[in-house]
C-alpha cells in the first residue's frame, strides 16, 4: 500500500506562484509514475503533469506548458508541482496520484488516463483570483 499526502495549496492572485508537494509513504518502490491532476466543480478531472520515478522527461498538459514544472526528490519520496504565472482558469482541486505502470513506453497507457492510477491523495485547493 502507498499513501500520498499533499500540501501547498492556497489562494493567490493571477500571475503569482504556488508550489504543491506530495509525499509518498509505504511501498513506494512499487510506483513508477507520479502525476498531478486537477478538477473544477462540474468539470472532468484532467491530467496536469507527470513524471517517471526512474527519471526521464516530464509530461505536461498543453494548458500548463511553460508555466508549471513537475519535479521529484526520490530520497524524500516527494513530488513537487511548481506553478508559476497562475491564471484564474487554474483554479481547481489538485490531486497527486501514483500508478504501478510507467508514465509512457513499453505499452504503458497514457499518463492522462485517470483510471490507470492506483493511489490518490486527498486533494488540495488552488484558487487564483483575477
Amino acid at each position: 500500500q502507498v499513501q500520498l499526502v499533499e500540501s501547498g495549496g492556497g489562494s493567490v492572485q493571477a500571475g503569482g506562484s504556488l508550489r504543491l508537494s506530495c509525499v509518498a509513504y509505504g511501498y513506494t518502490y512499487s510506483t513508477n509514475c507520479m502525476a498531478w491532476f486537477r478538477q473544477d466543480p462540474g468539470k472532468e478531472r484532467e491530467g496536469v503533469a507527470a513524471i517517471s520515478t526512474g527519471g526521464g522527461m516530464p509530461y505536461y498538459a498543453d494548458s500548463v506548458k511553460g508555466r508549471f514544472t513537475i519535479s521529484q526528490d526520490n530520497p524524500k519520496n516527494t513530488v513537487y508541482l511548481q506553478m508559476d504565472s497562475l491564471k484564474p482558469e487554474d483554479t481547481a482541486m489538485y490531486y497527486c496520484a501514483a500508478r504501478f505502470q510507467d508514465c509512457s513506453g513499453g505499452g504503458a497507457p497514457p499518463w492522462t488516463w485517470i483510471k490507470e492510477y492506483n493511489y490518490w491523495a486527498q486533494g488540495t485547493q488552488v484558487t487564483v483570483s483575477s
Side-chain angles (χ1 to χ4, degrees):
Q1 280 283 34
V2 174
Q3 182 183 12
L4 303 176
V5 180
E6 293 182 23
S7 61
S11 298
V12 65
Q13 288 191 326
S17 298
L18 284 173
R19 188 176 81 157
L20 306 182
S21 300
C22 176
V23 182
Y25 298 94
Y27 294 104
T28 58
Y29 63 87
S30 64
T31 56
N32 290 291
C33 180
M34 300 291 294
W36 290 95
F37 288 78
R38 65 185 181 187
Q39 187 170 21
D40 213 10
K43 296 183 180 178
E44 291 187 355
R45 190 169 297 189
E46 63 174 358
V48 175
I51 190 167
S52 296
T53 58
M57 294 292 289
Y59 305 89
Y60 296 99
D62 289 342
S63 58
V64 306
K65 280 181 182 176
R67 300 188 300 120
F68 289 13
T69 303
I70 188 171
S71 62
Q72 59 187 340
D73 185 336
N74 285 342
K76 295 183 179 179
N77 292 325
T78 302
V79 173
Y80 303 98
L81 184 67
Q82 177 66 41
M83 305 184 292
D84 300 317
S85 301
L86 282 161
K87 304 175 181 180
E89 50 264 43
D90 294 317
T91 295
M93 186 73 79
Y94 282 71
Y95 298 90
C96 173
R99 75 183 195 187
F100 302 137
Q101 289 188 287
D102 208 340
C103 298
S104 70
W111 67 269
T112 54
W113 287 14
I114 298 169
K115 292 184 178 181
E116 296 294 333
Y117 284 82
N118 307 99
Y119 303 104
W120 290 86
Q122 77 283 3
T124 186
Q125 179 67 38
V126 171
T127 302
V128 184
S129 58
S130 57

